[in-house]
Short mmCIF file of all heavy atoms in Angstrom, two decimals:
data_model
loop_
_atom_site.label_atom_id
_atom_site.label_comp_id
_atom_site.label_asym_id
_atom_site.label_seq_id
_atom_site.Cartn_x
_atom_site.Cartn_y
_atom_site.Cartn_z
N MET A 968 15.45 -49.84 -65.44
CA MET A 968 15.40 -51.01 -66.32
C MET A 968 16.30 -50.78 -67.52
O MET A 968 16.07 -49.79 -68.22
CB MET A 968 13.98 -51.28 -66.78
CG MET A 968 13.83 -52.43 -67.76
SD MET A 968 12.19 -52.56 -68.52
CE MET A 968 12.19 -51.14 -69.61
N TYR A 969 17.31 -51.60 -67.68
CA TYR A 969 18.09 -51.47 -68.93
C TYR A 969 17.75 -52.62 -69.83
O TYR A 969 17.48 -53.74 -69.42
CB TYR A 969 19.60 -51.37 -68.65
CG TYR A 969 20.31 -52.66 -68.22
CD1 TYR A 969 20.87 -53.45 -69.14
CD2 TYR A 969 20.32 -53.02 -66.86
CE1 TYR A 969 21.54 -54.64 -68.73
CE2 TYR A 969 20.95 -54.19 -66.44
CZ TYR A 969 21.56 -54.97 -67.41
OH TYR A 969 22.21 -56.14 -66.98
N VAL A 970 17.77 -52.28 -71.17
CA VAL A 970 17.15 -53.18 -72.14
C VAL A 970 17.96 -53.18 -73.39
O VAL A 970 18.53 -52.16 -73.81
CB VAL A 970 15.67 -52.81 -72.35
CG1 VAL A 970 15.53 -51.43 -72.85
CG2 VAL A 970 15.02 -53.79 -73.32
N ASP A 971 18.09 -54.30 -74.08
CA ASP A 971 18.68 -54.35 -75.43
C ASP A 971 17.66 -54.84 -76.42
O ASP A 971 16.47 -54.74 -76.11
CB ASP A 971 19.93 -55.21 -75.43
CG ASP A 971 19.67 -56.67 -75.01
OD1 ASP A 971 18.45 -57.06 -74.94
OD2 ASP A 971 20.58 -57.41 -74.68
N ASN A 972 18.06 -55.40 -77.55
CA ASN A 972 17.08 -55.82 -78.58
C ASN A 972 16.38 -57.12 -78.26
O ASN A 972 15.44 -57.45 -78.93
CB ASN A 972 17.74 -55.86 -79.96
CG ASN A 972 18.86 -56.93 -79.94
OD1 ASN A 972 19.51 -57.09 -78.94
ND2 ASN A 972 19.06 -57.53 -81.07
N ASN A 973 16.82 -57.85 -77.20
CA ASN A 973 16.23 -59.17 -76.91
C ASN A 973 15.62 -59.27 -75.52
O ASN A 973 14.69 -59.98 -75.35
CB ASN A 973 17.28 -60.26 -77.07
CG ASN A 973 17.71 -60.43 -78.54
OD1 ASN A 973 16.91 -60.32 -79.45
ND2 ASN A 973 18.98 -60.61 -78.73
N ARG A 974 16.20 -58.62 -74.53
CA ARG A 974 15.73 -58.85 -73.13
C ARG A 974 15.98 -57.60 -72.29
O ARG A 974 16.67 -56.66 -72.80
CB ARG A 974 16.45 -60.07 -72.55
CG ARG A 974 17.97 -59.86 -72.51
CD ARG A 974 18.69 -61.16 -72.24
NE ARG A 974 18.54 -62.17 -73.23
CZ ARG A 974 19.30 -62.18 -74.38
NH1 ARG A 974 20.21 -61.26 -74.54
NH2 ARG A 974 19.09 -63.08 -75.27
N SER A 975 15.54 -57.62 -71.07
CA SER A 975 15.71 -56.48 -70.13
C SER A 975 16.05 -56.99 -68.75
O SER A 975 15.81 -58.14 -68.42
CB SER A 975 14.47 -55.64 -70.05
OG SER A 975 13.37 -56.35 -69.49
N TRP A 976 16.63 -56.09 -67.91
CA TRP A 976 16.93 -56.37 -66.51
C TRP A 976 16.54 -55.15 -65.65
O TRP A 976 16.59 -54.04 -66.16
CB TRP A 976 18.41 -56.68 -66.29
CG TRP A 976 18.93 -57.93 -66.93
CD1 TRP A 976 19.11 -59.12 -66.35
CD2 TRP A 976 19.34 -58.06 -68.27
NE1 TRP A 976 19.63 -60.04 -67.26
CE2 TRP A 976 19.76 -59.37 -68.46
CE3 TRP A 976 19.41 -57.20 -69.37
CZ2 TRP A 976 20.26 -59.92 -69.66
CZ3 TRP A 976 19.84 -57.70 -70.60
CH2 TRP A 976 20.26 -59.04 -70.72
N PHE A 977 16.24 -55.42 -64.42
CA PHE A 977 16.05 -54.35 -63.46
C PHE A 977 17.36 -54.16 -62.65
O PHE A 977 17.98 -55.21 -62.29
CB PHE A 977 14.90 -54.62 -62.47
CG PHE A 977 13.57 -54.85 -63.15
CD1 PHE A 977 12.65 -55.79 -62.67
CD2 PHE A 977 13.24 -54.15 -64.30
CE1 PHE A 977 11.48 -56.00 -63.31
CE2 PHE A 977 12.03 -54.36 -64.92
CZ PHE A 977 11.13 -55.30 -64.44
N MET A 978 17.73 -52.94 -62.39
CA MET A 978 19.03 -52.76 -61.73
C MET A 978 18.95 -51.57 -60.73
O MET A 978 18.37 -50.53 -61.05
CB MET A 978 20.13 -52.44 -62.75
CG MET A 978 21.54 -52.34 -62.09
SD MET A 978 22.89 -52.46 -63.29
CE MET A 978 22.54 -51.02 -64.25
N HIS A 979 19.48 -51.84 -59.55
CA HIS A 979 19.58 -50.85 -58.49
C HIS A 979 20.81 -51.18 -57.65
O HIS A 979 20.99 -52.34 -57.22
CB HIS A 979 18.33 -50.79 -57.63
CG HIS A 979 18.51 -49.92 -56.37
ND1 HIS A 979 18.76 -48.60 -56.44
CD2 HIS A 979 18.51 -50.27 -55.06
CE1 HIS A 979 18.84 -48.10 -55.18
NE2 HIS A 979 18.69 -49.14 -54.33
N ASN A 980 21.67 -50.19 -57.38
CA ASN A 980 22.85 -50.38 -56.59
C ASN A 980 23.73 -51.47 -57.15
O ASN A 980 24.26 -52.28 -56.49
CB ASN A 980 22.49 -50.68 -55.12
CG ASN A 980 23.62 -50.45 -54.16
OD1 ASN A 980 24.63 -49.80 -54.54
ND2 ASN A 980 23.52 -50.98 -52.94
N ASN A 981 23.81 -51.46 -58.55
CA ASN A 981 24.61 -52.44 -59.33
C ASN A 981 24.17 -53.86 -59.13
O ASN A 981 24.94 -54.78 -59.29
CB ASN A 981 26.10 -52.28 -58.93
CG ASN A 981 27.01 -52.70 -60.04
OD1 ASN A 981 26.60 -52.77 -61.21
ND2 ASN A 981 28.22 -53.12 -59.73
N SER A 982 22.89 -54.09 -58.74
CA SER A 982 22.40 -55.45 -58.59
C SER A 982 21.38 -55.66 -59.72
O SER A 982 20.38 -54.91 -59.89
CB SER A 982 21.71 -55.58 -57.22
OG SER A 982 21.10 -56.82 -57.09
N HIS A 983 21.57 -56.77 -60.48
CA HIS A 983 20.76 -57.12 -61.69
C HIS A 983 19.67 -58.14 -61.18
O HIS A 983 20.06 -59.14 -60.59
CB HIS A 983 21.54 -57.71 -62.76
CG HIS A 983 22.71 -56.81 -63.21
ND1 HIS A 983 22.71 -56.09 -64.33
CD2 HIS A 983 23.86 -56.54 -62.55
CE1 HIS A 983 23.81 -55.40 -64.46
NE2 HIS A 983 24.57 -55.69 -63.35
N THR A 984 18.40 -57.94 -61.54
CA THR A 984 17.33 -58.85 -61.15
C THR A 984 16.35 -58.97 -62.30
O THR A 984 16.27 -58.09 -63.20
CB THR A 984 16.65 -58.41 -59.90
OG1 THR A 984 16.09 -57.13 -60.09
CG2 THR A 984 17.56 -58.33 -58.71
N ASN A 985 15.60 -60.07 -62.25
CA ASN A 985 14.38 -60.27 -63.10
C ASN A 985 14.70 -60.09 -64.61
O ASN A 985 14.15 -59.17 -65.23
CB ASN A 985 13.24 -59.31 -62.70
CG ASN A 985 12.77 -59.54 -61.29
OD1 ASN A 985 13.16 -58.83 -60.38
ND2 ASN A 985 11.89 -60.56 -61.13
N ARG A 986 15.54 -60.96 -65.10
CA ARG A 986 15.73 -60.97 -66.57
C ARG A 986 14.42 -61.34 -67.22
O ARG A 986 13.77 -62.34 -66.89
CB ARG A 986 16.80 -61.94 -66.96
CG ARG A 986 16.93 -62.17 -68.41
CD ARG A 986 18.05 -63.09 -68.75
NE ARG A 986 18.03 -63.51 -70.14
CZ ARG A 986 18.94 -64.26 -70.77
NH1 ARG A 986 19.99 -64.71 -70.03
NH2 ARG A 986 18.84 -64.52 -72.01
N THR A 987 14.02 -60.48 -68.23
CA THR A 987 12.77 -60.71 -68.92
C THR A 987 12.99 -60.65 -70.39
O THR A 987 13.69 -59.72 -70.90
CB THR A 987 11.73 -59.63 -68.49
OG1 THR A 987 11.57 -59.65 -67.04
CG2 THR A 987 10.40 -59.88 -69.10
N GLU A 988 12.42 -61.60 -71.13
CA GLU A 988 12.57 -61.63 -72.55
C GLU A 988 11.70 -60.48 -73.22
O GLU A 988 10.69 -60.07 -72.67
CB GLU A 988 12.05 -62.94 -73.17
CG GLU A 988 12.93 -64.17 -72.68
CD GLU A 988 14.33 -64.06 -73.14
OE1 GLU A 988 14.58 -63.59 -74.25
OE2 GLU A 988 15.24 -64.39 -72.32
N GLY A 989 12.18 -60.01 -74.34
CA GLY A 989 11.51 -58.91 -75.06
C GLY A 989 12.32 -57.62 -74.94
O GLY A 989 12.60 -57.13 -73.87
N GLY A 990 12.76 -57.15 -76.10
CA GLY A 990 13.63 -55.96 -76.14
C GLY A 990 12.99 -54.82 -76.91
O GLY A 990 11.82 -54.74 -77.04
N ILE A 991 13.85 -53.91 -77.38
CA ILE A 991 13.41 -52.72 -78.03
C ILE A 991 14.02 -52.58 -79.41
O ILE A 991 15.13 -53.20 -79.67
CB ILE A 991 13.71 -51.45 -77.18
CG1 ILE A 991 15.24 -51.28 -76.99
CG2 ILE A 991 13.00 -51.48 -75.87
CD1 ILE A 991 15.65 -50.03 -76.35
N THR A 992 13.41 -51.86 -80.25
CA THR A 992 13.95 -51.53 -81.58
C THR A 992 13.59 -50.06 -81.79
O THR A 992 13.00 -49.39 -80.94
CB THR A 992 13.33 -52.43 -82.63
OG1 THR A 992 11.89 -52.20 -82.64
CG2 THR A 992 13.57 -53.88 -82.45
N LYS A 993 14.07 -49.57 -82.92
CA LYS A 993 13.72 -48.17 -83.31
C LYS A 993 12.20 -48.07 -83.35
O LYS A 993 11.50 -48.84 -83.92
CB LYS A 993 14.30 -47.84 -84.64
CG LYS A 993 14.02 -46.45 -85.10
CD LYS A 993 14.67 -46.11 -86.42
CE LYS A 993 14.36 -44.69 -86.93
NZ LYS A 993 14.99 -44.42 -88.29
N GLY A 994 11.71 -46.93 -82.72
CA GLY A 994 10.24 -46.71 -82.66
C GLY A 994 9.56 -47.33 -81.43
O GLY A 994 8.35 -47.07 -81.26
N ALA A 995 10.26 -48.06 -80.59
CA ALA A 995 9.63 -48.63 -79.43
C ALA A 995 9.28 -47.54 -78.39
O ALA A 995 9.91 -46.51 -78.39
CB ALA A 995 10.58 -49.72 -78.85
#
Side-chain angles (χ1 to χ4, degrees):
M968 175 189 72
Y969 72 95
V970 57
D971 58 15
N972 60 328
N973 292 320
R974 60 192 67 82
S975 66
W976 293 262
F977 303 143
M978 185 165 63
H979 169 65
N980 200 14
N981 205 23
S982 175
H983 307 254
T984 59
N985 296 100
R986 171 178 169 176
T987 304
E988 296 298 322
I991 60 173
T992 59
K993 180 180 178 180

